[in-house]
Amino acid sequence: MLLAIDTSAGTSVAVVDGVHGVLADIDTADTMRHAEVIGSLISECLERANVRVSDLTGVVGGMGPGPFTGLRVGIAAARVFALGAGLPFLPVISHDAIVLNRYLAGHTGGLVVVTDARRREVNWSAYSGVDAAGLPVRLAAPGVAKPAVLLEPDWVYADLDRADAVTVPAADLGRVAELLLANDRAFATDAAFYLRSPDVTLSAGPKRVS
């Protein structure tokens, strides 16, 4: 019984059970109020699923790629919830959830997943399909680029179908985690995929006054 949280695009929370599937999920495409809504969405999702914290066996966190400010809200919420509940934190690459959703819907062949990275850039991940366990097979680590780069005919993955997404479905994030657990596969590293430096930089020290 997993609680899944992702804020790499919009904000999404779900409760997923290995036997009964998705018990509840809530999504919002709002990319400006992650911190304001994450707590209430978690509470509401647990209530809809009729699940107590003590029923959960793990907390899944979407690790991106995503913009620095939004992404860290979900990761922090998942880590703190897991710590407070005494549950394992299970990191999953967010784009894996999007591509699993597309393959479950019947897509075949390679696929490039694209999400907004802000600053007129996009995050992308390329996949060849799913393996025998139903898990997405990534062709390369997630990347960040100008949108025009992905439209160039000589781009390395230009021949693959493309899937643009405004939110990462936490329900599918939970499904990825369930498949990883069921097949004894390794989770993602416990490090956020920011792919670039945050907008805020450390001060170089006080300016000299002359």
Side-chain angles (χ1 to χ4, degrees), residues 101-117:
N101 179 281
R102 302 305 169 97
Y103 284 120
L104 288 174
H107 181 83
T108 58
L111 192 64
V112 175
V113 170
V114 181
T115 54
D116 186 13

Side-chain angles (χ1 to χ4, degrees), residues 16-42:
V16 180
D17 179 74
V19 176
H20 300 101
V22 180
L23 302 183
D25 63 301
I26 305 174
D27 300 274
T28 172
D30 189 341
T31 60
M32 303 301 292
R33 300 179 63 249
H34 302 288
E36 290 86 349
V37 302
I38 190 65
S40 59
L41 292 188
I42 291 172

Side-chain angles (χ1 to χ4, degrees), residues 88-192:
F89 173 69
L90 308 172
V92 171
I93 293 179
S94 301
H95 281 183
D96 286 4
I98 299 171
V99 78
L100 179 67
N101 179 281
R102 302 305 169 97
Y103 284 120
L104 288 174
H107 181 83
T108 58
L111 192 64
V112 175
V113 170
V114 181
T115 54
D116 186 13
R118 308 284 182 87
R119 286 199 258 170
R120 300 180 181 179
E121 292 181 319
V122 293
N123 290 314
W124 62 269
S125 295
Y127 298 82
S128 60
V130 292
D131 62 17
L135 285 161
V137 179
R138 198 177 307 106
L139 293 171
V144 61
K146 296 292 185 182
V149 172
L150 276 62
L151 300 177
E152 294 174 357
D154 59 348
W155 185 57
V156 63
Y157 299 115
D159 60 330
L160 300 183
D161 290 336
R162 173 168 166 165
D164 291 81
V166 295
T167 61
V168 174
D172 293 300
L173 198 76
R175 287 190 177 107
V176 173
E178 291 283 6
L179 287 171
L180 291 170
L181 289 168
N183 293 277
D184 197 25
R185 300 285 186 86
F187 281 83
T189 57
D190 189 4

